[in-house]
Amino acid sequence: EVQLVESGGGLIQPGGSLRLSCAASGFIVSSSYMTWARQAPGKGLEWVSVIYSAGTPYYADSVMGRFTISRDNSKNTLYLQMNSLRVEDTAVYYCARASWLGNGFDIWGQGTMVTVSS
Amino acid sequence: EIVLTQSPGTLSLSPGERATLSCRASQIVSSSYLAWYQQNPGQAPRLLIYGASSRATGIPDRFSGSGSGTDFTLTISRLEPEDFAVYYCQQYGSSPPWTFGQGTKVEIK
């Protein structure tokens, strides 16, 4: 079965760090375009980051310099390292994949909640 | 950054009616990289349309997408009870950052 399972969310104080994981099954992460998006409580979707199949990362301006996207090919897992967390980073974080960009992001994880609060 | 503006914010319709949702971009978007998603409360987004007009696997043919340039439309020909949800457009062209529209909620009238 093709699926994504996120983990690593939780409650963290402002300025802290957290690493989210997105474990894939049924397809190869390194051959796909993998993205992170987030959704603050009661708000719309916000794109966060993408890593291309070639390994090139891109980020939203709101997280540039604080978040790092990466993947572990041996574990077939995507990561999002989040540093210098702010209250406004509080959201459900989703990972998703596109087999190639023209096909859109067809597989999404269930999401993991990150709460940044003192 | 390309800004996507969706309208209306809320659409109040009855089952069986036709829904027309708009997504307008601040710059030209390649049609190849315009998608529509459906999201129900507490659930992850679900891909409906990619490439502006291609239905994703398993999506009923009552959903259709159209448009080019800066104006795109999602049409639901006859609303079924399970179609009442929030819909987002997204542009994901070759040059990030990518963006989502703010969403259109389709609610039961």
Side-chain angles (χ1 to χ4, degrees), chain A residues 33 35 37 39 43-47 49-50 52 58-61 94 100-106 108-111, chain B residues 1 32-33 35 37 39 42-47 50-51 56 88 90 92-102:
Chain A
Y33 294 79
T35 195
Q39 188 167 36
K43 302 298 183 182
L45 295 168
E46 179 187 13
W47 177 75
S49 180
V50 63
Y52 282 15
Y58 295 94
Y59 302 94
D61 288 347
Y94 296 101
W100 65 285
L101 285 184
N103 278 354
F105 288 87
D106 60 341
W108 290 69
Q110 83 287 355
Chain B
E1 175 179 303
S32 299
Y33 305 118
Y37 300 88
Q39 189 179 35
Q43 295 186 16
R46 173 194 180 197
L47 177 66
Y50 63 92
Y88 295 93
Q90 182 200 22
Y92 54 100
S94 58
S95 298
W98 297 341
T99 48
F100 288 94
Q102 83 279 18

Side-chain angles (χ1 to χ4, degrees), chain B:
Chain B
E1 175 179 303
I2 297 176
V3 176
L4 299 179
T5 302
Q6 293 186 239
S7 60
T10 302
L11 201 50
S12 298
L13 295 168
S14 301
E17 290 194 293
R18 181 184 187 91
T20 303
L21 288 66
S22 173
C23 176
R24 179 161 292 177
S26 61
Q27 306 171 37
I28 290 176
V29 171
S30 168
S31 296
S32 299
Y33 305 118
L34 191 288
W36 289 92
Y37 300 88
Q38 176 193 66
Q39 189 179 35
N40 287 295
Q43 295 186 16
R46 173 194 180 197
L47 177 66
L48 297 176
I49 300 288
Y50 63 92
S53 60
S54 298
R55 273 188 301 276
T57 302
I59 301 303
D61 61 7
R62 63 180 182 273
F63 290 92
S64 63
S66 63
S68 64
T70 60
D71 289 298
F72 299 88
T73 300
L74 174 69
T75 302
I76 311 171
S77 58
R78 287 178 56 85
L79 284 164
E80 297 287 340
E82 61 269 28
D83 299 338
F84 292 92
V86 180
Y87 293 84
Y88 295 93
C89 57
Q90 182 200 22
Q91 65 83 20
Y92 54 100
S94 58
S95 298
W98 297 341
T99 48
F100 288 94
Q102 83 279 18
T104 290
K105 181 179 181 180
V106 179
E107 65 176 22
I108 300 176
K109 186 175 182 180

Side-chain angles (χ1 to χ4, degrees), chain A residues 18-32:
Chain A
L18 211 55
R19 189 180 79 161
L20 305 183
S21 299
C22 172
S25 56
F27 71 96
I28 298 173
V29 164
S30 62
S31 299
S32 306

